[in-house]
Amino acid sequence: MHRIRWVCVLAFATIVAGVMALPQTAGNPSAPGGGADIRTQLLQEFGRLKIKAKGKPKTLPFDAVDKRLQAVATRYAELAANRPAATPAEVPIELTFAELFAPNREDCFVALSNTVIRLMPESALADLAIYAPDAQPVGTFSNTYTYSRTAVSSYTLHFFQYRTPDGRLSKTGPDLLLDRFRARWTDVRDRVCLSLPATE
């Protein structure tokens, strides 16, 4: 009987020792190779930005939107660069406006800045109704294009064309977009605002 008890105790001790020796990564997003994937980690770190629409018509401040999108993209690059080589490659990550922003009201606009146009996939802009600063509709999104300039400092800006109600194509560049063109929050809420490439 005593021998059987000792065998059971030794077996239990062996199991416990084996568990304690396992890498403690499960459930710990900060541990290399363990816990949340990059998409989940981004959403956990940033959450939904509470943002107040301002002006008339009520529009989300374009600089705050740009800053948040840039911050998420930068953080993604850091996480992707530090991903352990042994972990499986991440698939492309797509985040919607609703996942990153929480406006104080639904009846507001989002400025289609150069940053927004650069980071949104063109497919997410398809058939989007475009509005002027006075909230009057001016047309429907057609396609994106870039404008590059080489001088003391070279740069490339992203713009878009829209089709007017009479069928003409109208370009939005080369002046900075800022908040010169807008879209309704309810129209873009569930569209992808940030498309991040797959990690290798």
Side-chain angles (χ1 to χ4, degrees):
M1 179 66 70
H2 290 293
R3 182 179 180 183
I4 294 175
R5 287 180 179 176
W6 274 109
V7 169
C8 292
V9 170
L10 289 173
F12 178 77
T14 301
I15 293 172
V16 171
V19 171
M20 294 298 291
L22 290 174
Q24 300 300 305
T25 58
N28 180 8
S30 62
D37 57 23
I38 292 180
R39 187 183 197 282
T40 302
Q41 188 167 345
L42 287 173
L43 292 176
Q44 289 176 343
E45 287 186 17
F46 288 91
R48 298 180 68 207
L49 176 66
K50 292 183 178 180
I51 185 170
K52 184 176 182 179
K54 300 179 180 180
K56 188 177 181 180
K58 296 297 182 182
T59 304
L60 303 184
F62 78 89
D63 51 346
V65 173
D66 285 2
K67 184 178 180 180
R68 171 50 61 106
L69 294 179
Q70 293 276 25
V72 176
T74 299
R75 180 58 175 149
Y76 168 78
E78 294 172 352
L79 292 173
N82 294 325
R83 182 179 59 85
T87 59
E90 295 276 350
V91 297
I93 294 175
E94 294 187 336
L95 300 172
T96 65
F97 278 98
E99 289 179 300
L100 295 179
F101 300 97
N104 64 320
R105 55 193 298 163
E106 289 286 299
D107 58 334
C108 64
F109 288 85
V110 176
L112 299 175
S113 67
N114 298 95
T115 298
V116 169
I117 296 302
R118 174 170 60 86
L119 295 176
M120 281 186 76
E122 190 168 24
S123 58
L125 290 159
D127 301 321
L128 181 65
I130 308 298
Y131 294 83
D134 60 0
Q136 293 301 309
V138 295
T140 305
F141 173 85
S142 174
N143 62 280
T144 60
Y145 68 95
T146 58
Y147 172 78
S148 299
R149 183 171 182 177
T150 303
V152 177
S153 58
S154 301
Y155 61 87
T156 298
L157 296 174
H158 292 249
F159 296 93
F160 67 93
Q161 290 190 122
Y162 61 90
R163 192 171 294 279
T164 61
D166 60 3
R168 294 182 299 105
L169 278 177
S170 181
K171 288 189 174 184
T172 55
D175 294 333
L176 291 176
L177 291 176
L178 303 178
D179 57 357
R180 293 191 294 116
F181 296 94
R182 310 175 187 196
R184 290 190 180 278
W185 166 256
T186 50
D187 288 343
V188 300
R189 177 179 51 204
D190 298 320
R191 298 192 186 216
V192 175
C193 63
L194 198 57
S195 182
L196 304 167
T199 58
E200 298 180 355

